[in-house]
Amino acid sequence: MNTDSPSPNDSWIRPGFLWPDNRGQHIQAHGGGIIKQGDTWFWFGEDRSKDNDPEKRQVACYSSTDLINWTFRNQVLNISDPENFGEEWILERPKVFHNPKTGKFVMYMHIDGRITPDHWSRYSIARVGVAICDTVDGDYQYLRSFRPLGMESRDNGQFIDDDGTPYLIFESRPTKGFSIATLSEDYLDVEKEICLIQAPLEGGAIVHYEGLYYVIGSALTGWWPNANKYATAERLEGPWSEFKDFAPVITHTYGSQSTNLIKIVGSETTSVIYVGDRWRPEEQWDSRYVWMPVEIGGGNFVLPEPKPWKIDVQTGVVSYQD
Ligand code: GAL
């Protein structure tokens, strides 16, 4: 089936297809993050809607109880250049953490622009931005930006361990790697580097599965997909294994870039879902999502060829449309 034809409303997740929300509009949650509150998942991401105010940058939030049907909740951030970075300023890859102590929801994002007006790169400021809200899908208040632990930070990811500990993952080019770092008690600051994984990768995501941590990331090729890779470790501190491909190299990760890994712990099994973006740089509002359950275990991690699938979120069991 042509991925540009509208998805039939038949309760399958169709990687690469248009993915309509409850309003029938293609979901705008690119480079996103997903958290679970009670029995509901919330998906935050870059809202690249064609009719957005081009002076502003937007983050949208959707909710779902089955991971298939998503309800648009709110444009949780819709802000004008908060740091005076200039008209081409960038806000990408928003990730929201819920702080059980303060009750607040804290959003981390990649915020960027030209370090001087004539600098060649729109990505030379390389900071994280932080925003906060009392409710998961309310209007977030932008607080500030900084370089975490003094390091450049571009693609940022998030990982919440099984014990609830939140980690920010961020890519830092000068140190040629990506960091896994803990947050301060109020979640508003980045506190301590747990590990610097020395591999030139971005789009970092982590999952903990059967006693092993699996990290994935993409090579640094901008919007163009490449062969993403994974490594494993018994502890987040490492040592990490060598990086290996997890999809046939020629497919460039089936035309996608890593963004997240979701773990669904069901009554019968635990499934892990790869969440990737298939970018359309000239028409970002039409960028697609490649979500696919992975074959994981014993140090192996494989992304199968995308095809329609669904998951019973109670049992964790995945089924495929043949
Ligand atoms: C990618 C990155 C995206 C975006 C893009 C811009 O490498 O993962 O989030 O920043 O570069 O070229």
Side-chain angles (χ1 to χ4, degrees):
M1 201 186 288
N2 178 348
T3 54
D4 281 329
S5 56
S7 283
N9 188 8
D10 61 1
S11 297
W12 294 95
I13 293 176
R14 294 176 179 273
F17 278 69
L18 288 166
W19 196 342
D21 66 8
N22 62 311
R23 306 166 301 176
Q25 297 176 19
H26 181 48
I27 292 172
Q28 294 295 323
H30 312 284
I34 289 129
I35 54 166
K36 198 174 180 202
Q37 296 288 296
D39 60 1
T40 305
W41 283 272
F42 291 88
W43 179 4
F44 299 86
E46 298 158 30
D47 178 345
R48 305 272 194 168
S49 301
K50 209 174 175 178
D51 57 4
N52 277 344
D53 178 346
E55 310 270 297
K56 296 184 173 178
R57 304 291 177 265
Q58 294 81 6
V59 175
C61 172
Y62 299 81
S63 67
S64 175
T65 51
D66 61 11
L67 297 172
I68 301 167
N69 299 290
W70 291 90
T71 301
F72 173 76
R73 304 286 290 233
N74 188 18
Q75 202 172 56
V76 292
L77 206 63
N78 181 19
I79 50 171
S80 317
D81 188 4
E83 308 273 358
N84 294 316
F85 285 170
E87 55 179 327
E88 290 178 295
W89 73 285
I90 281 155
L91 190 169
E92 291 176 345
R93 295 188 177 261
K95 305 284 179 288
V96 169
F97 296 89
H98 177 234
N99 186 324
K101 284 194 193 129
T102 62
K104 307 277 187 196
F105 293 85
V106 179
M107 184 190 295
Y108 276 78
M109 65 203 91
H110 171 198
I111 190 154
D112 224 324
R114 292 183 206 278
I115 206 149
T116 53
D118 55 355
H119 193 278
W120 63 274
S121 172
R122 285 179 70 188
Y123 289 90
S124 46
I125 292 174
R127 289 168 168 241
V128 291
V130 180
I132 194 164
C133 193
D134 288 337
T135 56
V136 63
D137 59 354
D139 296 335
Y140 281 66
Q141 184 199 349
Y142 181 87
L143 296 179
R144 66 181 185 122
S145 74
F146 58 96
R147 280 190 169 173
L149 307 168
M151 292 157 82
E152 289 190 6
S153 173
R154 291 189 177 80
D155 280 7
N156 64 298
Q158 84 184 125
F159 173 57
I160 299 163
D161 209 342
D162 298 332
D163 65 1
T165 309
Y167 296 91
L168 186 75
I169 307 166
F170 60 94
E171 185 260 327
S172 168
R173 234 148 273 198
T175 42
K176 294 197 174 48
F178 55 108
S179 290
I180 306 169
T182 54
L183 303 181
S184 59
E185 213 172 301
D186 60 8
Y187 287 21
L188 299 181
D189 209 347
V190 175
E191 198 167 70
K192 187 170 171 246
E193 184 173 88
I194 296 298
C195 187
L196 170 71
I197 304 185
Q198 285 211 302
L201 297 173
E202 61 183 3
I206 297 175
V207 70
H208 189 227
Y209 182 83
E210 290 182 350
L212 268 187
Y213 290 95
Y214 293 74
V215 65
I216 61 170
S218 85
L220 311 172
T221 59
W223 302 120
W224 287 269
N226 54 65
N228 293 192
K229 296 194 185 305
Y230 82 99
T232 59
E234 279 169 23
R235 301 161 65 230
L236 281 177
E237 291 82 347
W240 289 88
S241 70
E242 241 182 279
F243 277 88
K244 294 187 205 148
D245 296 308
F246 63 78
V249 173
I250 195 172
T251 70
H252 290 169
T253 325
Y254 301 105
S256 71
Q257 181 187 21
S258 59
T259 286
N260 230 302
L261 291 166
I262 315 175
K263 182 162 81 168
I264 312 296
V265 182
S267 55
E268 282 178 39
T269 190
T270 295
S271 294
V272 174
I273 298 161
Y274 164 86
V275 172
D277 290 288
R278 185 175 287 169
W279 300 109
R280 294 198 168 174
E282 304 302 325
E283 297 172 323
Q284 284 289 15
W285 56 89
D286 198 27
S287 293
R288 305 300 170 87
Y289 310 101
V290 175
W291 286 34
M292 229 5 235
V294 294
E295 294 159 16
I296 185 172
N300 296 312
F301 186 100
V302 174
L303 176 65
E305 186 172 358
K307 59 178 171 179
W309 62 280
K310 63 182 164 193
I311 186 164
D312 178 330
V313 295
Q314 302 307 325
T315 62
V317 174
V318 168
S319 47
Y320 298 91
Q321 190 189 48
D322 291 316

